[in-house]
Amino acid sequence: MSQPELYLKQNVVAEPLYNQWYAWWFLASPMTAPLFVANLHVKIMESFVANPAIHVAALKSPALQGGPYINHGVDRLGDIKALLERTVREEALSLEYARAVLELDALLDSAEGFSLEELYPRVPDVLRGYVELTYDLKNRASPRFFEPLLYRSPFHRTSSQSLSMRLVHKDARPYVFSTPRLDTTDGSLMAKVPYRSEAIDRLFAMRHQPGPVAPVREALAIEAKDHDTFASFFTEQPPRPAPRYDGEGVRVRYFGHACVLIESRQVSLLTDPVISYDVPSDLPRYTYADLPERIDYVLITHGHADHLMFEPLLQLRHRIGTVVVPASSGGGLADPSLKLMLQQLGFQNVVALSELESLPIPGGELIGLPFIGEHGDLNIQAKLAHLVRLEGKTLLMAADSNALEPRLYEHVHREVGAIDMMWLGMESEGGPLSWMYGPLLPAPLQRKMDQSRRLNGSNAARAIELARRLKPGQVHVYAMGREPWLGHVMVMGYHENSPQLVESRKLIAWCRENGIHADMPYGQAEHFLR
């Protein structure tokens, strides 16, 4: 008897997890994952086990929602303790790696400009053969990790990867980066498969192509106790049709945050995918159902968790042609290779683009442009603004560029000419350096230093200087996490007088005074360039 062919429901959430913690780029690279396990996850769980009441009390304050506090009640103390013990046991090699990185840092601090050859035998044993010891031109020593080798080493723990799935009926989801998932009392289930598993592609292809449920359930190794829950994820109801754009010129659709779909008759491009699920809401939005069945190019501007988001990327992997990422040399703890990372995540065609490098696309080309700022002054190369030339029109996806040096954009304008449409984020007061990069630091930064080196985008003055020099015909400012489907990764808590919104309004006012169409879309928007 043949099985009925069903569709995956549009409101099935699938969170990639690493040791039951929400996964992002630093948990995907074996160069950095052990440091986050040791210096973040273990420490947060130890803090909770020592005094869970502090965590409960802290999270009553909206200002501390994005802090290192576990969002579980005191009654879950035993579960957190059990997860901590299991993590320490199963991640013993990762913890050894983290200790070795600290020892290596201390060893290199002893170098005084003389040859580093004699230090190789003193590298901690667990790291030997995985690092090169180098100087910069000021005789400061640092390691370069052989990141490709680490992906083929015991440090790359695909056994720690899994997928947590459940149905959602509203946008609001708890903040994910400080709290591990403990159980399935909310109607969720765990699929213990690595991120690169083809079973994930088979599952999410059923969003728009029906199929039998049992083969996918078996491929995902869903436990018998979860079969009924898994069955509830499917429906006979097909999704609404989303025909490929077939009009003149270029259609531009805003999906929220920094996610923009750019389409011509020949090609489709999606930037920094962050997609809403289809849930009841009064706020108009585009969802997964509004994406074309084939996305020819996905453009990633940088690795921050609200731009390189594994949750939507894994769900879209089966329909993506090419992923374009910023090139980096790799080997530096703060700057893992995005190309290598996405290849290991199962993406078949990943192109790394450098500054002013061009990639032909049907009806035009992509050009990588410099993206400065927003990374706490760290030497991070894996960040890139994307210039899209399509059907005679030019769009600049500037991401969170902080125009620290306005003259840069004079040089850029000389090279690329007129820009019809520019998209820009203006997180003018970002988090301190330690909020994102703290687990990688060998020692805590002084508070004043940490607060000085914030992850800032442009304020109004800098964005205006950028617009003066690039002379765009239109300027659109990303909503910067205000959309309700971003709350689980961005606890922004904006109000009308928040600096980010005040600065954005100043830029918009300046643009309008100077004959430039400008706005700050929220939820969804549609534009045409013809």
Side-chain angles (χ1 to χ4, degrees):
M1 183 176 178
S2 63
Q3 300 179 37
E5 295 201 338
L6 302 176
Y7 293 92
L8 183 69
K9 291 179 179 177
Q10 297 295 316
N11 60 331
V12 174
V13 163
E15 297 177 343
L17 303 180
Y18 191 85
N19 291 327
Q20 297 178 217
W21 293 76
Y22 192 85
W24 64 321
W25 66 325
F26 282 133
L27 291 178
S29 170
M31 182 175 67
T32 54
L35 299 176
F36 275 77
V37 171
N39 300 332
L40 184 64
H41 297 168
V42 167
K43 288 185 177 180
I44 292 178
M45 289 190 288
E46 287 176 339
S47 170
F48 187 90
V49 168
N51 195 336
I54 289 178
H55 290 246
V56 174
L59 290 176
K60 291 179 180 178
S61 168
L64 298 177
Q65 291 293 313
Y69 303 104
I70 288 179
N71 188 16
H72 286 301
V74 175
D75 60 313
R76 306 311 299 269
L77 173 60
D79 297 309
I80 294 293
K81 185 177 181 181
L83 178 59
L84 172 60
E85 292 172 350
R86 180 164 63 81
T87 301
V88 170
R89 182 176 65 254
E90 295 182 356
E91 293 283 350
L93 186 61
S94 295
L95 301 182
E96 184 181 357
Y97 175 102
R99 290 190 294 268
V101 169
L102 278 179
E103 293 174 19
L104 179 60
D105 183 75
L107 175 66
L108 294 179
D109 277 348
S110 68
E112 298 179 339
F114 297 98
S115 172
L116 295 170
E117 289 183 23
E118 65 179 24
L119 296 187
Y120 277 89
R122 297 168 58 190
V123 170
D125 186 68
V126 73
L127 294 180
R128 290 192 64 179
Y130 290 116
V131 295
E132 179 184 17
L133 309 184
T134 68
Y135 280 122
D136 66 14
L137 294 179
K138 289 191 175 182
N139 295 323
R140 293 171 297 203
S142 63
R144 183 177 75 87
F145 290 78
F146 297 118
E147 198 175 357
L149 283 177
L150 289 173
Y151 275 104
R152 292 159 173 81
S153 77
F155 302 114
H156 184 42
R157 288 181 48 81
T158 57
S159 60
S160 295
Q161 301 173 1
S162 64
L163 210 62
S164 173
M165 293 183 288
R166 67 188 185 277
L167 292 169
V168 293
H169 304 284
K170 59 182 180 179
D171 285 315
R173 294 161 61 186
Y175 183 68
V176 292
F177 291 117
S178 61
T179 300
R181 281 209 152 270
L182 292 180
D183 55 24
T184 57
T185 57
D186 59 354
S188 64
L189 59 82
M190 297 282 186
K192 296 181 179 178
V193 293
Y195 306 145
R196 66 179 300 115
S197 170
E198 291 183 4
I200 295 174
D201 299 325
R202 293 172 62 184
L203 172 68
F204 289 104
M206 292 174 70
R207 271 227 173 98
H208 50 94
Q209 296 174 351
V213 172
V216 177
R217 184 186 66 212
E218 293 169 7
L220 290 169
I222 303 298
E223 297 182 20
K225 67 181 179 63
D226 293 322
H227 282 190
D228 288 345
T229 300
F230 189 69
S232 72
F233 296 167
F234 297 87
T235 178
E236 295 178 351
Q237 183 68 36
R240 61 181 176 272
R244 194 177 183 105
Y245 179 63
D246 193 33
E248 297 294 329
V250 179
R251 183 175 71 179
V252 181
R253 283 184 164 180
Y254 174 72
F255 275 67
H257 196 49
C259 183
V260 178
L261 176 65
I262 304 166
E263 296 175 285
S264 71
R265 282 178 174 165
Q266 301 183 72
V267 70
S268 60
L269 308 98
L270 188 68
T271 69
D272 292 343
V274 178
I275 314 293
S276 168
Y277 292 98
D278 200 340
V279 297
S281 174
D282 294 330
L283 176 61
R285 84 279 300 277
Y286 296 119
T287 71
Y288 285 96
D290 297 296
L291 290 169
E293 189 168 330
R294 180 70 172 176
I295 302 168
D296 298 305
Y297 295 88
V298 162
L299 314 182
I300 302 296
T301 56
H302 58 302
H304 290 174
D306 54 322
H307 293 261
L308 178 64
M309 190 181 290
F310 294 161
E311 182 178 329
L313 280 172
L314 291 179
Q315 296 181 43
L316 295 174
R317 183 174 61 197
H318 69 282
R319 56 169 118 174
I320 293 172
T322 299
V323 183
V324 182
V325 300
S328 82
S329 59
L333 287 176
D335 196 23
S337 166
L338 303 189
K339 178 178 180 180
L340 188 59
M341 182 182 299
L342 288 172
Q343 287 174 331
Q344 293 296 320
L345 262 62
F347 290 85
Q348 298 299 313
N349 191 13
V350 185
V351 174
L353 204 63
S354 298
E355 293 157 353
L356 293 185
E357 192 173 17
S358 173
L359 176 68
I361 62 174
E365 64 176 334
L366 300 176
I367 301 176
L369 293 183
F371 169 178
I372 58 174
E374 216 241 345
H375 287 69
D377 301 319
L378 294 172
N379 181 20
I380 290 175
Q381 298 175 39
K383 59 186 193 296
L384 197 70
H386 293 280
L387 188 79
V388 180
R389 283 183 172 154
L390 189 60
E391 301 298 325
K393 302 298 181 181
T394 304
L395 302 88
L396 174 60
M397 319 312 291
D400 298 319
S401 295
N402 188 353
L404 299 165
E405 174 48 84
R407 290 190 65 182
L408 166 66
Y409 300 98
E410 294 178 10
H411 305 318
V412 167
H413 185 260
R414 184 177 64 245
E415 293 299 318
V416 303
I419 292 171
D420 295 292
M421 179 182 285
M422 180 173 77
W423 292 82
L424 178 70
M426 291 183 64
E427 179 58 40
S428 56
E429 289 193 10
L433 175 71
S434 63
W435 181 81
M436 183 172 296
Y437 296 97
L440 303 178
L441 301 175
L445 287 177
Q446 299 175 15
R447 178 172 172 78
K448 287 185 177 180
M449 189 181 296
D450 193 26
Q451 293 296 319
S452 168
R453 293 173 62 185
R454 301 185 74 90
L455 309 177
N456 293 346
S458 288
N459 58 19
R462 288 176 178 165
I464 287 169
E465 289 303 313
L466 191 156
R468 281 188 200 277
R469 287 160 172 78
L470 293 182
K471 301 176 175 60
Q474 300 180 31
V475 172
H476 305 282
V477 181
Y478 301 130
M480 297 177 292
R482 290 187 298 134
E483 285 101 357
W485 55 90
L486 269 296
H488 64 298
V489 294
M490 299 182 72
V491 186
M492 306 310 296
Y494 287 146
H495 52 78
E496 282 305 301
N497 293 320
S498 294
Q500 296 88 340
L501 300 187
V502 170
E503 296 297 302
S504 297
R505 289 195 291 266
K506 288 179 183 177
L507 169 65
I508 291 169
W510 180 88
C511 287
R512 291 173 177 173
E513 289 169 3
N514 287 271
I516 301 171
H517 171 83
D519 62 19
M520 189 178 192
Y522 176 67
Q524 77 175 56
E526 184 175 68
H527 304 276
F528 294 89
L529 294 173
R530 290 170 172 152

